[in-house]
Amino acid sequence: MADPEIKSYEPHHESQSAAVTESRPARLALMAVAFAFLGIFLLLPLIIVFNEAFAKGIGAYTEALGNPDTRSAIRLTLLVAAISVPLNIVFGISAAWAIAKFEFKGKAFLTTLIDLPFSVSPVISGLVYVLLFGAQGLLGTWLKAHGIVILFAVPGIVLATIFVTFPFVARELIPLMQEQGNGDEEAALSLGANGWQTFWYVTLPNVKWGLLYGVLLCNARAMGEFGAVSVVSGHIRGLTNTMPLHVEILYNEYNAVGAFAVASLLAGLALVTLVLKTLLEMRYGAEIAATRGH
Amino acid sequence: MTTAPAQAGWRFRQPSVIPGFGLTLGFSLAYLTLIILIPLSGLLWRSAALGWPEFWAIATDRRTINALRISFGTAFVAAAVNVVFGTLVAWVLVRYRFPGRRIVDAMVDLPFALPTAVAGIALTTLYAPNGWIGKLLMPLGIKVAYTPLGIVIALIFIGLPFVVRTVQPIMEEIDKEVEEAAATLGANRFQIITRILFPGLAPAIVTGFALAFARGVGEYGSVIFIAGNLPYKSEIAPLLIVIRLEEYNYPAATAIAAIMLALSFIMLLVVNLAQSWSRKRYG
């Protein structure tokens, strides 16, 4: 940081730097504790997933993944993500445009509301839809009379997934677009571009890496959501079972290889997500907003 | 929606040449209302419709109270553990240079990316009496899996990145010159850490604690596998909601959910107060 400056007026630089960091043994001890903690709490769970998945060899692993119920769980998970993620992308862009490009009353409150799903237990996120669409629910009798099935079916799973992944794209784009300001858009508009052109050729290229970052996290959560989906799914094998729910069923049936084989796919997704996320942060750190995590 | 009231003093929005305000705000509000606000107010409406005596009976049911106590208690302990180790991990990542630092840094986000059910079965397998870690703890008489201690372990896993990612950016911003100034004035390392570094980090640590705690209270997927789920002993509140739902006992599920939301809301207020206090005290 400002090191060269300090050197110029500080003759005892060596002893000085020792005073602003820990002694070597202390440093090593702190690092050892941190690594041991991370090793036990993060690395071991990851290792055991793959260890258990391949415990009975590659044959048992591929056989577990070839199971028709497993196949349909994978398909359902992909379908749910393919519906809910694009919807949340459209919402995220739209909300970010309204919040970042304009000054209006109640903006802070709206931003707080968007973050709301993060502070609600996943089980409650599922419960609210049961209360709305269930047989005893507010709309239950009306839906039944019209033959519309939402709960214990794909629409319910999609809704619950949208609920829990709602903030990801918006909260990534809002600070980023606020930081970038309106200058580029105003220039494009003054040169005669219309609103859509300004968005497609100016705003979107400016935020594309931040958007990708948000989509990545949104997708990981959409494919991995357990609690909310568990409440609304009804656990019908082959029909309303997503991959995380299928992991639970197999595990409770003492089919460890099967459970961990499906889990290994989800763990692989998590690893790919982390790698892509890290690459994005390394290459385009400045173009992704400062808000990290979640 | 786009046309602001025409009074001179008050405007709904500042004038701007950028188009699309009505469209984007309108769509965002409609989507937010349909997906989040209507379902959530349905929950509040249903619990309000219960009537006070019935609500009170559910709230003071021994099983409900125990489940809430277990959820909030284990989340508190796990968040406290994460404050200590999460701050340490952040310190090591910010201050020390070592090979593979980038990978370790990326690993911290694993709990965000790994589906909770996967974390749940992995931790249970590790801590079961015949598991890699459970086997080592068994001779010491420590049972982790299927006890409240198991819940704490799962919540430590889930909450760790919240503390690290809240504290880390603030640590990076610490001006080393202040530390150097303190050192030249004769402060030792311990004094510098407790008197100069910690006060600056305190608000971030409180925030990290609150985020980890809030997440832990509501956590379901990673906990139910390792908890053993014994009523009164290791049954968490979100699981009790699910059980009541499966019994078609909607009033009880609704009431417990409303209590959880209210407690989380109160907690958020307390944390906000604590934060502004620590900012005033140390800021």
Side-chain angles (χ1 to χ4, degrees):
Chain A
M1 282 196 314
D3 250 9
E5 271 175 66
I6 294 162
K7 266 180 205 156
S8 62
Y9 60 76
E10 179 44 70
H12 304 295
H13 184 255
E14 278 304 303
S15 63
Q16 207 51 36
S17 81
V20 292
T21 187
E22 291 71 45
S23 64
R24 197 178 151 77
R27 258 193 332 248
L28 290 177
L30 288 178
M31 280 167 73
V33 174
F35 291 156
F37 182 81
L38 292 176
I40 290 171
F41 278 94
L42 299 184
L43 200 55
L44 274 184
L46 195 60
I47 292 171
I48 198 125
V49 169
F50 292 99
N51 185 68
E52 295 291 307
F54 292 104
K56 289 185 181 142
I58 294 200
Y61 178 80
T62 48
E63 201 187 306
L65 291 183
N67 178 290
D69 286 345
T70 304
R71 285 287 162 101
S72 82
I74 295 173
R75 270 196 305 273
L76 180 59
T77 291
L78 293 176
L79 173 72
V80 169
I83 300 171
S84 50
V85 174
L87 282 173
N88 278 340
I89 292 175
V90 173
F91 163 74
I93 291 173
S94 157
W97 184 273
I99 289 173
K101 300 287 175 206
F102 300 94
E103 289 301 326
F104 58 93
K105 299 269 189 272
K107 195 157 117 166
F109 183 61
L110 180 60
T111 316
T112 312
L113 281 184
I114 290 173
D115 267 347
L116 198 61
F118 277 158
S119 45
V120 173
S121 168
V123 166
I124 297 179
S125 313
L127 170 73
V128 292
Y129 290 110
V130 175
L131 294 180
L132 210 55
F133 300 124
Q136 303 177 33
L138 297 173
L139 299 174
T141 34
W142 186 87
L143 288 173
K144 207 171 174 193
H146 290 75
I148 303 169
V149 183
I150 292 181
L151 216 55
F152 310 131
V154 177
I157 298 174
V158 170
L159 278 174
T161 305
I162 292 177
F163 188 110
V164 293
T165 58
F166 188 83
F168 280 102
V169 178
R171 66 147 40 199
E172 194 58 46
L173 285 185
I174 291 169
L176 179 60
M177 281 167 66
Q178 271 171 339
E179 210 178 270
Q180 289 179 342
N182 292 351
D184 289 0
E185 283 79 7
E186 281 161 5
L189 290 164
S190 74
L191 291 172
N194 65 33
W196 279 109
Q197 287 169 327
T198 307
F199 172 72
W200 275 109
Y201 297 113
V202 177
T203 309
L204 203 56
N206 273 346
V207 301
K208 61 176 183 285
W209 298 117
L211 178 64
L212 188 61
Y213 191 87
V215 170
L216 206 62
L217 301 181
C218 182
N219 180 65
R221 182 70 191 268
M223 290 192 172
E225 178 53 27
F226 179 76
V229 169
S230 164
V231 171
V232 296
S233 110
H235 305 270
I236 307 162
R237 280 180 97 122
L239 281 179
T240 63
N241 233 5
T242 61
M243 284 168 78
L245 299 181
H246 199 53
V247 168
E248 183 196 21
I249 288 189
L250 294 172
Y251 186 80
N252 288 341
E253 286 171 349
Y254 301 102
N255 182 351
V257 170
F260 279 101
V262 181
S264 74
L265 294 182
L266 290 167
L269 169 76
L271 287 177
V272 170
T273 303
L274 286 185
V275 168
L276 291 177
K277 179 174 171 299
T278 307
L279 289 178
L280 277 178
E281 282 167 9
M282 282 166 79
R283 282 217 50 189
Y284 305 103
E287 293 159 57
I288 300 172
T291 48
R292 292 281 154 75
H294 304 256
Chain B
M1 200 165 285
T2 43
T3 46
Q7 290 100 328
W10 194 91
R11 271 172 193 280
F12 172 56
R13 78 168 167 111
Q14 304 294 317
S16 164
V17 294
I18 294 178
F21 180 70
L23 176 72
T24 53
L25 186 69
F27 174 76
S28 304
L29 285 178
Y31 190 79
L32 178 77
T33 308
L34 281 176
I35 301 283
I36 310 288
L37 298 183
I38 290 180
L40 267 183
S41 29
L43 173 73
L44 298 181
W45 188 78
R46 286 287 286 247
S47 51
L50 281 178
W52 186 246
E54 194 183 355
F55 185 88
W56 188 247
I58 298 164
T60 52
D61 177 56
R62 206 163 71 81
R63 195 164 164 190
T64 310
I65 290 177
N66 273 297
L68 287 169
R69 190 183 292 154
I70 290 162
S71 272
F72 281 82
T74 52
F76 187 89
V77 174
V81 171
N82 274 332
V83 158
V84 175
F85 287 96
T87 308
L88 172 65
V89 167
W91 182 258
V92 167
L93 287 174
V94 171
R95 285 301 176 96
Y96 304 157
R97 290 293 166 268
F98 50 89
R101 191 179 67 91
R102 198 62 242 196
I103 297 170
V104 175
D105 191 68
M107 274 286 291
V108 170
D109 279 334
L110 180 73
F112 285 150
L114 194 71
T116 52
V118 178
I121 63 168
L123 290 170
T124 312
T125 309
L126 278 177
Y127 288 92
N130 58 354
W132 292 353
I133 299 177
K135 217 164 24 190
L136 301 176
L137 296 175
M138 210 49 187
L140 307 170
I142 304 171
K143 270 201 72 183
V144 177
Y146 320 122
T147 69
L149 196 55
I151 305 176
V152 172
I153 296 284
L155 297 184
I156 291 174
F157 175 84
I158 291 298
L160 178 69
F162 288 93
V163 176
V164 177
R165 293 302 182 229
T166 317
V167 174
Q168 198 176 10
I170 310 297
M171 250 176 206
E172 272 162 3
E173 276 168 25
I174 293 177
D175 196 348
K176 268 203 165 169
E177 284 174 38
V178 181
E179 282 171 74
E180 276 156 4
T184 47
L185 292 172
N188 63 34
R189 192 66 194 149
F190 179 76
Q191 285 171 322
I192 292 175
I193 289 174
T194 53
R195 301 259 181 93
I196 296 179
L197 295 178
F198 179 74
L201 293 174
I205 292 176
V206 172
T207 309
F209 175 87
L211 291 173
F213 183 51
R215 176 67 202 265
V217 167
E219 178 56 22
Y220 176 72
S222 60
V223 173
I224 53 161
F225 295 98
I226 200 169
N229 306 328
L230 285 172
Y232 309 106
K233 287 206 176 68
S234 58
E235 183 179 71
I236 54 168
L239 177 66
L240 190 57
I241 295 177
V242 172
I243 290 173
R244 293 307 187 215
L245 267 182
E246 280 166 1
E247 296 167 349
Y248 297 103
N249 189 348
Y250 283 28
T254 310
I256 300 167
I259 294 167
M260 279 188 74
L261 281 180
L263 286 175
S264 306
F265 181 72
I266 292 169
M267 214 185 63
L268 223 85
L269 274 182
V270 171
V271 166
N272 275 339
L273 288 177
Q275 254 180 325
S276 59
W277 175 80
S278 71
R279 268 207 200 96
K280 240 177 256 161
R281 170 102 163 63
Y282 296 119

